[in-house]
Amino acid sequence: IYVVLWLLIIGGLGSGITKLPVSTQLDHWMMQEEKYASDPEHFGNPDQIGILIKTDGLFTYENLQTLRTLRSVLMDNVESIESIHSILSYRSPSSLKFNLNETTLIPQRIPKSREVLDALKNKLLSHPGVVGTIMSPDARETFLILKLKPYEGEQGHGIELKNIGRSIVEITESIQSPGFKALAAGVPIVGYEQSKYFEQESQRLAIGVGCIAIVLLILIFRSLTILWHIILLSLASLLCVLGLYGYIGIEVDATLFSVPLFLGVATNLSYAVHIYNRFHGLHDEQTSPQMAVQLTLDSLKKPIFYTMLTTVAALLTFNLIEIRAVKQVGNLSALIIISVYLQNRFVLPVLLCLYP
C-alpha cells in the first residue's frame, strides 16, 4: 500500500515537469536594482527580429520568389508578427506621390526576364534609404525586418519569445537552397538557441554523471538491488520538485539548471551509502530486515536530519545575493535536498523491508 501510494504521488507531481518554464534571459544575471537590467539599449530590443538573406545574386526569379515565399510563410505561421519590412515593401516614387498603395517596385508576379529584373535592381539601388540599410550595394544581401506584436501579460514573456524564436528558426531553416541562405538574429533567436544548447548540454552531462555514478555504485556495493533503489529514489526526488515547479509556474534558469540536479543526486548517494552500510552491518540470519531497518533508523535519523538541515540552511543563504539566477539555484537545490531526505527517510526503509 505504501509503495502504491508513493508511486501515485510521484506520478501526480512528476507530470507537472512538462509545464516547467525554462528561461535563458540575460537579465537574470543582473543585480535586481540595476537600472538597465531589462534596458533594450544594453540587451537588445525583443520586439524586432532581423533575417539576413545571403545570395549569389538577389535579383533572379528563383531568389525573389523564395524571398516572397519566406515572407508569406512567416506571416501565416507566426501569429506574433505584426509586420515584415523588406525590399518587397518598397513602392515606386510615383505611387508615393499619388498615394497608390497597391504599386510596389517588385510586383506580385515576379518577372522572369533578365532585362526586367536588372531594371528592378537599378530602381531599388537608386531608391533613397535602401542601399546600406536593407540591401547591400552589390545586391547580394538583404534583410527582412520583423516587428512583433506587443506582449500582453505580466509573466511568461521570456517563454513566449523563446517559442517565437523557435518558430522563426524552423521556418528559415526549411526554406533554404544552395543560392539562398537565411540567418535569423534577435533577442528571441538568442533565447531559443541558448535554451536549445543548454538542454543538449544538460542531457550530455546527466548521461555522463549517471554512468559514472552507476559504475561507482556497482564497484562499492556489488548489488543490482541497491543500484535500482538509489536510481529510483534519485529520479523520484527530482520529479517531485521539478513537477511542483511546473505546476506553480516557477521559472528555472537553464544556464545553472544542472547544478541542483547533480547536487541532489550526490546528496542522495551520500545518504544511501550510510543507510545501506549500517543496514547490511545489522542484517544477518538472526535479525529480520524489519528489525535491521528499525535499528538503522534509530542510529542514523538524527545525523542525517541535521546534515540535511544545515545543507538547506546554507543553500537558502543564496537569497541574500541580489542576482535572480543565484537565488533560483539556492531555492531549487534546497527543495531537492529536502525531497531527497524525505525519500531516504520514509521510502527507502520500505524498499529495504520488501527487497533487502
Side-chain angles (χ1 to χ4, degrees):
I1 296 176
Y2 290 112
V3 174
V4 173
L5 180 61
W6 173 67
L7 291 175
L8 290 175
I9 294 174
I10 298 302
L13 288 176
S15 61
I17 198 171
T18 57
K19 305 176 182 179
L20 182 66
V22 181
S23 174
T24 56
Q25 295 185 54
L26 295 177
D27 59 355
H28 284 188
W29 288 95
M30 298 299 297
M31 301 291 284
Q32 289 186 355
E33 69 272 11
E34 191 65 60
K35 64 179 181 180
Y36 50 75
S38 58
D39 188 352
E41 182 180 347
H42 296 85
F43 287 97
N45 185 355
D47 298 327
Q48 291 187 350
I49 297 174
I51 300 179
L52 174 63
I53 309 299
K54 305 180 73 173
T55 67
D56 296 332
L58 183 60
F59 285 87
T60 64
Y61 172 78
E62 292 78 12
N63 287 338
L64 288 178
Q65 189 64 45
T66 304
L67 181 65
R68 188 178 294 281
T69 300
L70 176 60
R71 184 185 185 281
S72 300
V73 173
L74 287 170
M75 288 297 297
D76 293 341
N77 292 276
V78 184
E79 297 180 357
S80 300
I81 296 178
E82 182 177 290
S83 62
I84 299 179
H85 183 62
S86 68
I87 59 173
L88 302 174
S89 310
Y90 281 95
R91 293 181 288 161
S92 63
S94 60
S95 66
L96 290 171
K97 181 178 179 180
F98 297 104
N99 196 25
L100 301 175
N101 295 329
E102 71 277 1
T103 305
T104 56
L105 281 172
I106 300 178
Q108 288 292 327
R109 295 185 62 181
I110 307 296
K112 296 183 179 181
S113 171
R114 183 69 265 167
E115 292 78 9
V116 177
L117 290 172
D118 288 338
L120 290 176
K121 180 176 72 172
N122 293 331
K123 284 184 179 180
L124 269 172
L125 290 174
S126 62
H127 197 286
V130 173
V131 178
T133 55
I134 201 168
M135 190 173 69
S136 62
D138 59 1
R140 291 175 178 268
E141 299 178 353
T142 187
F143 265 108
L144 291 178
I145 306 299
L146 284 58
K147 182 180 179 181
L148 304 181
K149 299 176 182 177
Y151 180 76
E152 298 180 358
E154 298 180 356
Q155 296 181 350
H157 194 195
I159 307 301
E160 176 68 18
L161 289 177
K162 185 181 69 174
N163 294 333
I164 294 172
R166 177 188 292 108
S167 300
I168 293 175
V169 169
E170 290 175 351
I171 291 172
T172 54
E173 289 179 348
S174 66
I175 303 179
Q176 302 272 2
S177 66
F180 188 97
K181 302 294 182 183
L183 303 172
V187 173
I189 307 301
V190 173
Y192 163 67
E193 292 179 344
Q194 283 184 334
S195 176
K196 182 179 179 181
Y197 168 78
F198 285 114
E199 286 176 3
Q200 295 173 345
E201 191 69 9
S202 297
Q203 291 176 3
R204 185 181 67 84
L205 291 174
I207 292 173
V209 171
C211 292
I212 294 174
I214 290 174
V215 172
L216 290 176
L217 288 172
I218 292 176
L219 293 176
I220 294 173
F221 294 108
R222 299 179 182 180
S223 170
L224 293 178
T225 302
I226 297 177
L227 179 62
W228 77 261
H229 281 181
I230 295 178
I231 293 176
L232 187 62
L233 293 180
S234 296
L235 292 176
S237 302
L238 300 178
L239 284 175
C240 284
V241 177
L242 297 180
L244 184 62
Y245 264 48
Y247 280 124
I248 299 176
I250 300 177
E251 201 172 61
V252 176
D253 191 282
T255 56
L256 289 174
F257 189 65
S258 58
V259 175
L261 302 187
F262 297 153
L263 183 60
V265 173
T267 304
N268 185 65
L269 290 177
S270 65
Y271 291 170
V273 166
H274 290 296
I275 293 174
Y276 276 117
N277 282 337
R278 182 60 60 89
F279 172 80
H280 285 289
L282 297 172
H283 182 219
D284 52 28
E285 295 181 357
Q286 286 76 31
T287 307
S288 65
Q290 291 78 9
M291 181 59 67
V293 166
Q294 184 62 49
L295 294 174
T296 300
L297 293 179
D298 290 341
S299 60
L300 290 180
K301 61 182 179 182
K302 286 186 177 180
I304 291 180
F305 173 75
Y306 290 134
T307 302
M308 178 275 297
L309 204 60
T310 54
T311 305
V312 169
L315 290 170
L316 291 178
T317 60
F318 285 20
N319 288 278
L320 300 176
I321 302 175
E322 294 298 323
I323 298 177
R324 193 184 308 172
V326 176
K327 289 184 176 183
Q328 288 181 358
V329 170
N331 293 332
L332 181 58
S333 299
L335 285 176
I336 290 178
I337 297 300
I338 294 174
S339 178
V340 166
Y341 167 77
L342 294 176
Q343 302 290 337
N344 282 274
R345 175 65 178 81
F346 297 104
V347 179
L348 184 56
V350 178
L351 294 178
L352 287 176
C353 292
L354 296 176
Y355 308 100

